[in-house]
Amino acid sequence: MHIALVTETYPPEVNGVAMTNQRLVRGLLAKGHRITLIKPRHQEAPPAEHASLQVHEVFGIPIPNYAGLKLGLPRPGELERLFEADKPDIVHVATEGPLGFSSLRSARKLRIPVSSTFHTNFQDYCADYGAAFAARWMMAYLRWFHNQCALTTVPDPSLIQRLEKDGVQRLQMLGRGADTVLFSPDKRDPELRRSWGAAAHSPVALYVGRVAAEKDIPLTLEAWAAARKHCPELKMVVVGDGPVRKKLERQWPEVHFAGMRYDEDLARHYASADIFIFASTSETFGNVVIEAMASGLAVITYDYAAGKQFIQSGSNGHLVSLADRQAFIQCTESVIQEQSKMPPIRTAARATAINYPWSATIDRFNHLLQKAAKTEQTTPQIDIVSNSEQSTL
């Protein structure tokens, strides 16, 4: 097939959505498909890496407080001409921003089948950024957007149930995989550990991800501080960047903030730690959980999304009831107090990750795109919010 994939985030940007999109593109190319990748222009982006990959970049504007990330501006005329000339069999929209919106409307106007992915719980982020009043409007928009599509892939079964209750239709499960070659215990680096001030047998706790309000990093650090009372040599490393990093650095001078890390360097940071503490309640999946497991870490996280999918608590990681902050802290303390139980849990975490290769995810995505491409498109719907919704917003 010829597939147009539209996303407002893609490497060299580092986040779960960008990395997932890159893996899916590479997997589809390996299956012989032709891809037109549509994304905002990025100065550091490498040239197209495959003969069957065409990259079409549009102008983007920086997202406030998110250095390096951009929103693609609406380009309906440009995208309509592109789709009319290239004649893709399907347009897959990975993000619901202005560029995704323009792509959806242009493709439907030309009666090209459209599929999408629900990557991010934007409706939940509203409260984290002081706009809780906008959550219902955001959900109304997301419902409208995805209901225009032949199908929408979702990475977690419980999220499918939630979205169905919110009126989102034609949802399909598409899990995620683990890159067990890149992320491996073999990447452990004693020199890197020494740079953190960790002795050979000192435990190191790790967080990887955006350093942003929705990730609840303060709870991760509070849990680490509580555990450190039982094990003073316990170190804490935060990998990532974002709008609250400087504030957290001032509040937690004992924590090592490593900034953004990429590829092999990121893999070294994972493998050189021992425990992964992840207190976010805003994930649709949480790629970092399976990456940490592949790296052989003992993961502490909430019982939902990737944690719920992959972890059997006490066997290959540790799960806490969703949003129970006190239980999260107590669990972290218990893990440190019972370090003798950690080695078999870390071994089991790695073994679990090996059973979930990216190849299976790509096969499933390929099947779903072929299914969506056969969908006959109807006349585009215009109203984003129904009259009944308008009266309640």
Side-chain angles (χ1 to χ4, degrees):
M1 292 192 300
H2 177 199
I3 302 160
L5 191 145
V6 184
T7 176
E8 282 166 282
T9 182
Y10 198 81
E13 295 167 4
V14 179
N15 58 70
V17 178
M19 304 309 290
T20 295
N21 287 330
Q22 183 184 63
R23 291 201 174 278
L24 293 175
V25 165
R26 288 174 174 175
L28 292 171
L29 290 169
K31 288 185 175 295
H33 298 301
R34 183 161 68 94
I35 307 289
T36 298
L37 176 63
I38 302 166
K39 65 182 185 67
R41 189 172 296 111
H42 197 296
Q43 277 188 329
E44 299 177 10
E49 57 194 27
H50 194 286
S52 296
L53 174 63
Q54 173 191 353
V55 179
H56 183 88
E57 293 186 320
V58 302
F59 183 77
I61 57 172
I63 300 175
N65 295 321
Y66 272 92
L69 296 184
K70 293 182 177 181
L71 281 175
L73 294 181
R75 310 290 292 185
E78 178 182 337
L79 292 171
E80 191 173 327
R81 290 190 295 273
L82 176 67
F83 294 155
E84 204 162 21
D86 282 1
K87 296 179 172 56
D89 298 298
I90 187 166
V91 174
H92 182 80
V93 185
T95 53
E96 305 98 337
L99 180 60
F101 175 84
S102 295
S103 300
L104 172 66
R105 295 301 297 270
S106 298
R108 285 185 57 81
K109 183 176 180 181
L110 296 170
R111 297 184 182 272
I112 300 170
V114 184
S115 58
S116 63
T117 295
F118 195 99
H119 275 295
T120 306
N121 288 315
F122 287 115
Q123 73 279 17
D124 293 343
Y125 286 13
C126 293
D128 292 317
Y129 289 90
F133 63 89
R136 293 182 68 183
W137 180 89
M138 178 62 73
M139 189 63 239
Y141 169 70
L142 293 172
R143 176 171 51 250
W144 172 86
F145 187 100
H146 292 288
N147 284 350
Q148 303 298 299
C149 300
L151 59 83
T152 295
T153 67
V154 183
D156 182 62
S158 60
L159 181 58
I160 288 180
Q161 295 176 0
R162 177 185 174 186
L163 292 175
E164 285 178 338
K165 289 181 181 177
D166 284 326
V168 184
Q169 304 166 1
R170 296 180 291 282
L171 301 171
Q172 293 284 344
M173 177 66 186
L174 180 68
R176 299 288 184 267
D179 185 340
T180 55
V181 174
L182 176 60
F183 300 108
S184 166
D186 295 339
K187 306 292 176 68
R188 195 172 181 88
D189 185 342
E191 187 60 36
L192 179 60
R193 286 175 55 84
R194 280 193 289 271
S195 74
W196 299 336
H201 300 290
S202 298
V204 175
L206 180 73
Y207 165 88
V208 177
R210 290 194 304 277
V211 186
E214 69 271 12
K215 299 297 184 179
D216 202 356
I217 300 172
L219 177 57
T220 291
L221 299 181
E222 287 170 26
W224 162 73
R228 193 171 59 152
K229 294 176 183 177
H230 307 283
C231 180
E233 65 269 28
L234 177 65
K235 304 298 180 182
M236 182 74 218
V237 178
V238 172
V239 173
D241 206 349
V244 301
R245 177 181 171 182
K246 290 183 179 179
K247 177 182 177 181
L248 292 176
E249 283 183 315
R250 291 193 299 269
Q251 293 175 338
W252 298 88
E254 319 95 313
V255 174
H256 181 83
F257 287 82
M260 298 296 290
R261 299 290 164 169
Y262 306 89
D263 302 323
E264 289 290 338
D265 191 23
L266 175 59
R268 285 192 313 123
H269 278 69
Y270 270 118
S272 299
D274 304 281
I275 307 158
F276 189 74
I277 309 177
F278 194 63
S280 172
T281 59
S282 64
E283 306 303 305
T284 55
F285 179 72
N287 290 356
V288 292
V289 169
I290 193 67
E291 290 171 358
M293 294 178 73
S295 302
L297 304 191
V299 176
I300 303 167
T301 190
Y302 283 123
D303 188 11
Y304 82 117
K308 187 179 186 69
Q309 285 189 43
F310 297 116
I311 295 177
Q312 293 182 341
S313 196
S315 175
N316 62 350
H318 305 274
L319 295 177
V320 180
S321 297
L322 185 60
D324 190 335
R325 300 175 69 86
Q326 191 56 44
F328 193 94
I329 293 172
Q330 290 172 350
C331 178
T332 307
E333 290 183 278
S334 297
V335 170
I336 291 301
Q337 288 176 295
E338 301 175 344
Q339 290 186 56
S340 61
K341 297 181 179 179
M342 199 180 299
I345 287 176
R346 296 177 62 180
T347 299
R350 169 69 180 176
T352 298
I354 289 173
N355 289 327
Y356 292 91
W358 261 105
S359 58
T361 301
I362 292 165
D363 287 345
R364 170 75 172 158
F365 189 53
N366 179 53
H367 166 75
L368 290 174
L369 288 183
Q370 293 197 25
K371 176 182 177 181
K374 298 175 183 176
T375 304
E376 183 177 349
Q377 293 298 284
T378 56
T379 303
Q381 299 177 28
I382 301 302
D383 294 332
I384 293 180
V385 182
S386 68
N387 291 334
S388 62
E389 287 168 339
Q390 288 174 356
S391 65
T392 61
L393 291 177

